[in-house]
Amino acid sequence: MDARIGQKDRPIFVDLDGTLIKSDLLWETLFLTARQAPVRLLRLPGWLSSGKARLKAELARDVDFDPALLPYREEVLQALREAKADGRRIVLATGSNERLAHAVADHLGLFDAVMASCDDVNLTSSRKLERITADCGEDGFDYFGNSHEDICLLDAAADATVVAPDRAARRWQRRTGAELIEAGGNPARAALKAMRPHQWAKNVLVFVPVVLTHEFFNVSMLLSALVAFFAFSFAASAVYILNDLVDLTADRKHKTKRNRPFASGSLQIPHGLKLATGLFAGSLVLSLLLPWTFLGVLVAYLCATTAYSMFIKRMLLIDVLTLAGLYTTRIMAGVAATDVSVSFWLLAFSLFFFLSLALVKRYTELMDFGSGAERSKTGRGYVDADLETLAQAGMASGFASVMVLALYINSPEVLVHYNMPAMVWPLCPILLYIIVRIWVLARRGQMHDDPVVFILQDWRSQMMIAIGAIMFLLAAYA
């Protein structure tokens, strides 16, 4: 650490984006604006045409920014604390807008001065070097940086520290042998985690039409459903990434979501945008292999889920109704991909059943925040006083789905599709078991925050589903 800190009479200048924090405040404020005032993004082309300094200033102007939530690099903070204890002068020198830079400096209490971009000057690279040289004169300075824009500053510094470098800065570090603070973590693993492949289990709903029409050995139909599964999965992963970017602040306040790749800083925002673009493209290519109606359903799903991520998730009750509709849309996608007819009974059952699960999700999130949960804290349209209402509505919706199933079993349609309709009746108590158990666990605080994933991973639920599948096959083929 002594080599890193250098001579005590030299000031230390510290870059912010990617160096002091694991993220970049330009991207952070872009998505803060998208969440807090999305209409302002209509001005984005004008800001871009006026230069990067103006863009940074406009994005920083009206956002509700909390520096305490940023993903700081603890190794850098520790080095700066040691330097501060030795009486070193430390300056935050950043290309980020001055409003944000001063907020970070005030929060940390480590810096003696701040140099940052203003409305007219983007303080990066050579402009930053000129400002630093004018400040410290011929006495020299030490510098903490991370990117290709910092290379001229690292060259000029008496003692340079490269933090989680990009490709150009890493080449410079290897050539000079400067101090290095590694980023840590595995970017590929972080990217995979951001895609949430475990959530792909929800998309098995596209196979429901194949199951209900008993076309288990229709290879063409199965392949179509499989293509639809991956098309939906890629699209869903892209939306999850965009959702995480818009939800950065809310996720960082959450006890578990703060560990998500973007919230923790283990995956950079530009990398996430590239990944989302690739996933969208892959989803579109797969969709072109299916009937055009499937593409229409997928586009409707993407529009609905994007609207959900941007603003619907904060709307009381509209959010859970939308979630239930998104699950039902997956079934409709399977119908479109396999070109089978859709049943009123199936849509009615799906709506009530998935509304119950959506209410479980909201109930669990609210439980996690504990007493005193407010809309400003949860990022949702609910407060702690709504817990009992959510539970009652969720149980009622679950029971309504069982009622729809019972009415279907007693309808003339069952006599046409099943040889032994009586064997379908056990599905009702099985479904009751799954629903009531989920709500019991939720009220105990033992529920996964996504009940659909919980059902697919819980061995008791799996056992009930297996028994139901056996009953279903016996009813159809016995």
Side-chain angles (χ1 to χ4, degrees):
M1 192 62 66
D2 291 337
R4 182 182 303 163
I5 294 175
Q7 299 297 319
K8 292 185 178 181
D9 57 346
R10 285 200 304 263
I12 301 174
F13 291 83
V14 184
D15 180 47
L16 176 57
D17 297 320
T19 302
L20 184 63
I21 63 174
K22 299 176 183 178
S23 188
D24 186 309
L25 291 186
L26 174 60
W27 290 105
E28 293 259 346
T29 51
L30 176 65
F31 284 98
L32 272 176
T33 302
R35 172 164 183 165
Q36 297 173 8
V39 176
R40 294 194 74 230
L41 293 183
L42 296 175
R43 304 177 188 173
L44 196 59
W47 298 341
L48 285 169
S49 65
S50 300
K52 206 166 183 180
R54 171 73 187 283
L55 172 65
K56 292 178 180 179
E58 291 295 341
L59 288 174
R61 192 177 307 281
D62 295 319
V63 293
D64 182 12
F65 174 72
D66 186 354
L69 297 175
L70 292 174
Y72 293 96
R73 294 193 187 278
E74 189 55 40
E75 302 93 336
V76 176
L77 288 178
Q78 183 59 32
L80 296 180
R81 292 187 187 108
E82 292 178 13
K84 189 74 173 178
D86 286 340
R88 301 286 299 275
R89 179 172 181 260
I90 306 176
V91 179
L92 181 62
T94 174
S96 290
N97 182 262
E98 56 190 356
R99 173 179 176 258
L100 308 178
H102 280 286
V104 170
D106 292 343
H107 168 67
L108 293 176
L110 288 171
F111 300 100
D112 299 289
V114 174
M115 296 179 179
S117 297
C118 61
D119 290 3
D120 303 317
V121 178
N122 184 33
L123 196 68
T124 59
S125 195
S126 59
R127 285 184 290 273
K128 186 190 292 188
L129 178 58
E130 291 173 4
R131 184 79 64 85
I132 290 175
T133 304
D135 179 82
C136 63
E138 298 180 356
D139 296 333
F141 64 94
D142 295 347
Y143 189 76
F144 283 68
N146 77 300
S147 75
H148 62 282
E149 292 184 333
D150 292 321
I151 289 178
C152 64
L153 293 125
L154 295 168
D155 265 332
D159 194 356
T161 301
V162 186
V163 183
D166 64 12
R167 187 174 301 175
R170 182 174 291 277
R171 284 198 300 266
W172 181 91
Q173 184 273 329
R174 287 173 177 168
R175 187 179 72 249
T176 61
E179 290 285 342
L180 173 67
I181 296 178
E182 291 281 9
N186 186 323
R189 184 178 299 172
L192 184 63
K193 184 177 179 181
M195 289 170 60
R196 301 191 213 174
H198 63 281
Q199 297 282 8
W200 291 8
K202 299 175 182 178
N203 298 322
V204 299
L205 291 171
V206 301
F207 291 95
V208 168
V210 176
V211 173
L212 295 183
T213 53
H214 309 155
E215 296 286 352
F216 302 108
F217 304 105
N218 188 324
V219 176
S220 176
M221 191 174 287
L222 288 172
L223 285 176
S224 295
L226 188 63
V227 172
F229 170 82
F230 282 107
F232 247 76
S233 296
F234 291 165
S237 288
V239 172
Y240 288 140
I241 290 171
L242 295 178
N243 178 65
D244 285 352
L245 293 176
V246 174
D247 261 2
L248 280 173
T249 300
D251 285 351
R252 287 170 181 161
K253 294 177 182 179
H254 196 275
K255 66 179 183 180
T256 58
K257 293 180 181 179
R258 68 180 63 174
N259 297 318
R260 286 178 172 175
F262 299 110
S264 66
S266 60
L267 187 63
Q268 298 299 307
I269 293 175
H271 296 164
L273 290 174
K274 292 176 183 177
L275 180 59
T277 301
L279 289 166
F280 273 129
S283 176
L284 177 61
V285 169
L286 290 174
S287 299
L288 296 177
L289 302 176
L290 299 170
W292 67 269
T293 50
F294 173 82
L295 181 59
V297 174
L298 180 62
V299 169
Y301 169 83
L302 289 174
C303 291
T305 195
T306 301
Y308 172 82
S309 299
M310 295 298 292
F311 56 89
I312 291 178
K313 65 163 56 177
R314 296 186 291 277
M315 300 173 67
L316 180 69
L317 298 181
I318 302 299
D319 60 339
V320 289
L321 289 169
T322 302
L323 277 178
L326 290 174
Y327 284 118
T328 304
T329 302
R330 290 173 167 90
I331 298 176
M332 293 298 297
V335 169
T338 56
D339 198 24
V340 299
S341 59
V342 64
S343 164
F344 159 79
W345 296 105
L346 175 60
L347 296 181
F349 168 81
S350 174
L351 184 62
F352 284 116
F353 179 71
F354 289 114
L355 177 58
S356 180
L357 297 189
L359 288 163
V360 170
K361 184 178 176 69
R362 284 293 174 266
Y363 181 91
T364 302
E365 290 174 349
L366 206 56
M367 282 274 287
D368 286 343
F369 276 96
S371 60
E374 301 173 355
R375 294 181 63 176
S376 59
K377 294 180 180 179
T378 63
R380 302 292 186 264
Y382 305 90
V383 298
D384 54 359
D386 299 328
L387 275 171
E388 191 59 33
T389 302
L390 291 175
Q392 292 178 9
M395 290 287 289
S397 184
F399 290 153
S401 69
V402 178
M403 178 62 69
V404 171
L405 177 60
L407 291 173
Y408 168 71
I409 293 172
N410 199 45
S411 71
E413 294 181 31
V414 172
L415 298 176
V416 176
H417 293 97
Y418 299 93
N419 297 328
M420 297 180 62
M423 298 298 293
V424 186
W425 273 107
L427 294 179
C428 291
I430 287 173
L431 186 62
L432 280 170
Y433 171 85
I434 292 174
I435 291 171
V436 175
R437 183 167 180 271
I438 282 175
W439 275 104
V440 168
L441 294 178
R443 297 187 71 125
R444 291 178 181 177
Q446 300 174 1
M447 174 53 53
H448 190 285
D449 63 351
D450 193 317
V452 175
V453 175
F454 172 83
I455 289 174
L456 296 173
Q457 294 177 346
D458 174 56
W459 71 267
R460 292 180 179 84
S461 298
Q462 292 172 352
M463 184 176 66
M464 291 294 106
I465 292 172
I467 294 172
I470 293 172
M471 296 295 101
F472 176 81
L473 291 174
L474 288 174
Y477 298 107

